[in-house]
Amino acid sequence: MKYLSTRGNAPAKTFTEILLGGLAPDGGLYLPEQYPQVTRPELDAWRKLSYADLAFAVLSKFATDIPAADLKAIISKTYTAEVYNKGRADSDAEQITPLRTLEPGVHILELSNGPTLAFKDMAMQLLGNLFEYALSKQHDELNILGATSGDTGSAAEYAMRGKRGIRVFMLSPNGKMSVFQRAQMYSLQDPNIHNIAINGMFDDAQDMVKAVSNDHAYKAAHKIGTVNSINWGRVSAQIVYYFKGYFAATKSNDEQVAFSVPSGNFGNICAGHIARMMGLPIGQLILATNENDVLDEFFSTGAYRPRGTDHTYATSSPSMDISKASNFERFVFDLVGRDGTKVREFWGKVDAGGSFDIRHTPYWDALQKFHFASGKSSHYDRLKTIRGVYEEYGVMVDPHTADGIKVGMEQRRPNLPLICLETALPAKFEETIVEALGRKPERPAALDGIEDLPQRCEVMDADVAKLKAFITAKVAA
Ligand SMILES: *Cc1c(COP(=O)(O)O)cnc(C)c1O
């Protein structure tokens, strides 16, 4: 299996070759040359598999340059009941991603029982083990540099902590994250994890990361890499739970289902699109946004109009506060019949701060064949959904999952079982839960008292020279 770029101008690469990199040299994103197809006998056999065995079945179709025994070992040590038992006390950790049925035909797929209580753990934990494997084979090391406003940074740190050959330098806005989020990240004492609290906003931290990454000589000399959501390893790991959710919600492979996905960077739902391209019987993919509705606008009007960060609203589902969806290019590549020239034309406009519109083109008809639906959810909707689900089913959901449930219930086709992807646990977003329900969310036992643990963090001004000096010193140590 080789991977090519969505912009059509980069040499084909293998899974391991793109694992540690980011964008393709032509500025595009990597995708498989062809999507592997899952046959009906395979689907029938996969229905009975454990999560780890299913993950191996799916991922061995993509990671063809990793010896099967090695891949199997990496996956077995990633998807264990010990790693994915941090969430709800009544969850079946053996299932890894258990399906919770709210009423006949309406389900929640629990993806947030990993170490940081968000679905990002599902992929990031695998990435940590894949990175460690690849680096040890190449006798190499990697310094991961990133900026976070919450979920991504903690998921990356919990995945990379203690890993040989890897250091993490994670920038966060000083004093801007919740007490819980700070405790989650800053309480890590592993010597390979470096939290840097920047005196500034998230955008300042992000700009510093960009400045270091644009210094190509520094980047190469210090082996700087990233783990952002365009990483193909992350997308491929997310394909697995669409299969898992489908099998759990159906009795036979003749049935179809709908998935509802709280979306920001289009990473999660992109994996659903790929699962369907492989032959999984998904009748409908429902994309939910919050007030930052750039993706809902595309699926309802055909216009993709990314907004600037100054036009991004800070909402109560903050992990979806995104106005430029970094993975969206992957879907558009398929939409335009894998025409890299067309993608280059569209993203030429996007990268220059503009937009594109497919409404009055043949691509609009093509889009209808992918069976997407979309909708948006507001702060008011979010509170109402959290309250409604709690009162009706006795289940507390987080604000992001609530956005997905709200839009999923509105957009689902009748008679399709609806699987709502749970992207985080309510314990991470205490304030909004209190606003909706007048009470605090349950805190998983594993995280009791996390705010009281000693914290370790470097406070720094938004000064790129200081950041470089800090990294240089740690790498030399
Ligand atoms: C990252 C995240 C999302 C958005 O997922 P994308 O892959 O960026 O679309 C939604 N909810 C939560 C809780 C997240 O952490």
Side-chain angles (χ1 to χ4, degrees):
M1 165 80 65
K2 290 271 184 158
Y3 291 81
L4 40 77
S5 164
T6 51
R7 301 206 186 169
N9 260 342
K13 296 261 169 111
T14 68
F15 183 89
T16 321
E17 283 169 340
I18 62 171
L19 184 63
L20 298 168
L23 291 174
D26 63 357
L29 280 68
Y30 287 108
L31 269 180
E33 257 171 357
Q34 280 153 357
Y35 293 121
Q37 295 301 300
V38 180
T39 63
R40 181 57 193 257
E42 272 178 315
L43 263 191
D44 292 341
W46 288 8
R47 184 168 273 280
K48 306 172 198 84
L49 298 181
S50 69
Y51 194 93
D53 289 343
L54 182 60
F56 176 70
V58 172
L59 292 170
S60 55
K61 289 183 181 283
F62 292 102
T64 50
D65 62 336
I66 299 181
D70 293 356
L71 185 64
K72 201 166 181 109
I74 293 166
I75 287 172
S76 315
K77 94 171 174 194
T78 304
Y79 296 111
T80 69
E82 287 69 48
V83 177
Y84 295 94
N85 65 1
K86 306 294 183 292
R88 298 178 189 274
D90 64 342
S91 285
D92 181 358
E94 292 296 331
Q95 291 286 315
I96 310 291
T97 56
L99 191 76
R100 186 177 290 269
T101 298
L102 297 182
E103 62 178 55
V106 180
H107 315 273
I108 290 178
L109 187 64
E110 290 188 19
L111 302 177
S112 309
N113 294 322
T116 71
L117 312 186
F119 87 100
K120 292 190 171 69
D121 290 328
M122 292 304 303
M124 204 73 93
Q125 289 284 322
L126 180 71
L127 206 61
N129 289 327
L130 282 170
F131 276 13
E132 188 177 47
Y133 170 82
L135 290 166
S136 78
K137 278 213 135 175
Q138 297 160 17
H139 306 288
D140 206 348
E141 51 180 57
L142 178 67
N143 295 303
I144 294 168
L145 175 63
T148 189
S149 51
D151 287 343
T152 309
S154 55
E157 291 186 355
Y158 280 74
M160 306 298 164
R161 60 188 297 199
K163 294 269 181 289
R164 249 176 302 121
I166 304 176
R167 292 184 199 84
V168 177
F169 298 90
M170 191 58 66
L171 278 53
S172 51
N174 193 12
K176 303 291 189 304
M177 294 191 300
S178 75
V179 175
F180 179 82
Q181 284 175 320
R182 268 203 301 264
Q184 242 187 343
M185 290 178 55
Y186 301 171
S187 68
L188 289 179
Q189 301 294 336
D190 308 75
N192 72 327
I193 303 293
H194 303 284
N195 280 301
I196 305 169
I198 298 299
N199 292 322
M201 305 297 288
F202 170 73
D203 289 334
D204 300 316
Q206 182 78 27
D207 287 345
M208 291 170 75
V209 170
K210 280 187 197 148
V212 174
S213 297
N214 287 337
D215 182 343
H216 297 289
Y218 183 89
K219 190 179 171 197
H222 295 82
K223 302 181 190 295
I224 304 283
T226 57
V227 283
N228 53 27
S229 73
I230 60 152
N231 180 286
W232 170 253
R234 279 179 70 179
V235 175
S236 64
Q238 291 171 174
I239 297 169
V240 178
Y241 53 69
Y242 283 88
F243 281 87
K244 183 71 198 316
Y246 172 78
F247 293 135
T250 58
K251 294 215 155 52
S252 98
N253 297 326
D254 297 322
E255 295 174 55
Q256 290 202 333
V257 299
F259 281 97
S260 178
V261 190
S263 293
N265 268 320
F266 205 82
N268 197 351
I269 200 164
C270 185
H273 159 68
I274 295 170
R276 183 167 51 188
M277 297 297 275
M278 294 170 71
L280 187 67
I282 299 176
Q284 203 184 18
L285 278 170
I286 303 171
L287 179 143
T289 70
N290 63 17
E291 290 87 337
N292 297 293
D293 59 354
V294 59
L295 288 169
D296 176 39
E297 180 177 60
F298 174 80
F299 284 98
S300 38
T301 72
Y304 182 58
R305 298 187 304 126
R307 337 273 203 249
T309 44
D310 48 337
H311 288 95
T312 306
Y313 305 105
T315 76
S316 47
S317 45
S319 301
M320 294 155 67
D321 290 350
I322 280 154
S323 300
K324 199 182 238 179
S326 52
N327 266 292
F328 183 54
E329 185 172 334
R330 286 196 160 107
F331 171 69
V332 171
F333 183 59
D334 287 338
L335 176 65
V336 300
R338 305 204 130 203
D339 177 355
T341 311
K342 199 75 209 172
V343 173
R344 270 206 310 282
E345 181 194 316
F346 284 163
W347 260 267
K349 294 176 183 169
V350 168
D351 290 341
S355 60
F356 63 84
D357 189 344
I358 62 158
R359 186 59 182 245
H360 301 290
T361 73
Y363 302 132
W364 179 253
D365 298 325
L367 179 63
Q368 310 318 311
K369 299 196 185 87
F370 286 94
H371 299 293
F372 274 86
S374 75
K376 61 190 279 192
S377 167
S378 66
H379 181 69
Y380 173 82
D381 297 325
R382 210 164 289 137
L383 297 185
K384 193 168 153 217
T385 306
I386 293 170
R387 223 173 280 136
V389 171
Y390 190 63
E391 281 165 9
E392 216 165 311
Y393 310 108
V395 176
M396 221 186 258
V397 295
D398 99 289
H400 308 78
T401 308
D403 289 337
I405 294 173
K406 186 257 178 187
V407 175
M409 294 300 255
E410 277 173 2
Q411 298 289 335
R412 66 188 289 216
R413 287 212 308 266
N415 304 328
L416 280 191
L418 174 67
I419 303 171
C420 301
L421 299 190
E422 174 205 71
T423 55
L425 283 193
K428 291 196 92 164
F429 302 96
E430 217 164 84
E431 253 175 53
T432 305
I433 301 298
V434 170
E435 192 180 345
L437 301 177
R439 54 163 292 187
K440 284 189 178 182
E442 292 107 39
R443 171 77 66 90
L447 295 163
D448 254 348
I450 190 170
E451 291 92 340
D452 304 328
L453 295 175
Q455 298 190 2
R456 194 171 67 91
C457 161
E458 178 81 15
V459 178
M460 194 181 282
D461 287 331
D463 179 337
V464 176
K466 279 195 183 134
L467 175 61
K468 282 183 181 166
F470 182 81
I471 295 173
T472 305
K474 295 294 173 194
V475 171

